[in-house]
Amino acid sequence: MTKIAVLGNGRVGGNLAAALARAGHEVTVAARTPGAAADAARTARIVINATPGAGSLDRLAALREELRDTILVDVSNATTDGPDGLPADLIYPGSSLAEQLQQALPETRVVKTLNTMLFPVMTSPDTLAQTPTVFLSGEDAQAKESVRVLLTDLGWQKEWITDLGGIQTARATEAAILFVPHVIRATGFTPFAISIAR
């Protein structure tokens, strides 16, 4: 059992919080009240960033002290929205939200994962007809191992998890968000994930 704080109580955060609680973890979801995120982060071992990516850097940089020595699992993608509300462009071209977070929070171990799929797949990967892949990016091997354990709690088999290396590799997975609007326009909001076929 791990103490986990989920920042963001929308579809992504709510889905992750419910699944991790079912797996036996002690989960707190930060409500949208002043100080709630700070209180939740202060007592957690693992903090999940499920806030909208466009504002994540400012929100989390303000929690530098509360996030000291914690693992920050970043599942967000920082994009501008197109006219239909779907992702249009990356906010950090040539970089990534995960890299920006790690730079702003040097005493926090940032791990990027679960950002290359529609949100229902995050907690139900076995419902897809084909085997999905989930990626890990981060500088701290021990932190990535802790996140790998959380992923297995969410139903990800170990052979479906690919460690890409350091935090800079998050540039590649975050850029994959640019596929999403085109796939959704072509096929609707049917759950899907990126998969590496071998």
Side-chain angles (χ1 to χ4, degrees):
M1 187 272 290
T2 302
K3 293 189 73 172
I4 300 171
V6 178
L7 307 184
N9 56 359
R11 293 181 299 178
V12 173
N15 185 43
L16 287 168
L20 290 167
R22 286 194 300 272
H25 298 287
E26 183 180 336
V27 182
T28 301
V29 179
R32 295 181 183 182
T33 56
D39 290 342
R42 190 178 293 114
T43 58
R45 177 174 171 263
I46 296 177
V47 176
I48 298 176
N49 174 39
T51 65
S56 288
L57 183 57
D58 288 342
R59 286 188 188 97
L60 275 76
L63 301 175
R64 181 170 175 163
E65 288 305 311
E66 290 84 357
L67 291 170
R68 185 189 300 271
D69 298 325
T70 65
I71 297 170
L72 176 63
V73 182
D74 179 32
V75 305
S76 295
N77 290 302
T79 61
T80 60
D81 289 340
D84 56 3
L86 294 175
D89 290 305
L90 300 174
I91 290 178
Y92 305 109
S95 183
S96 64
L97 173 59
E99 288 173 89
Q100 297 296 314
L101 288 170
Q102 187 62 86
Q103 184 176 358
L105 302 165
E107 295 175 72
T108 301
R109 294 171 289 166
V110 178
V111 179
K112 188 79 180 192
T113 193
L114 289 173
N115 64 310
T116 56
M117 62 202 69
L118 287 191
F119 79 92
V121 181
M122 294 178 175
T123 57
S124 300
D126 58 349
T127 59
L128 296 182
Q130 295 160 304
T131 300
T133 304
V134 65
F135 303 98
L136 293 171
S137 299
E139 297 300 322
D140 189 284
Q142 189 173 30
K144 285 193 283 188
E145 184 56 35
S146 295
V147 175
R148 187 185 295 269
V149 171
L150 283 190
L151 291 173
T152 60
D153 288 344
L154 293 173
W156 290 88
Q157 297 183 27
K158 61 182 180 179
E159 60 269 23
W160 300 352
I161 304 170
T162 298
D163 186 344
L164 296 178
I167 200 68
Q168 189 176 24
T169 64
R171 295 181 189 185
T173 62
E174 289 190 26
I177 190 67
L178 298 180
F179 276 106
V180 170
H182 306 298
V183 174
I184 289 173
R185 291 181 192 115
T187 63
F189 279 90
T190 304
F192 69 89
I194 288 180
S195 177
I196 302 300
R198 292 187 176 89

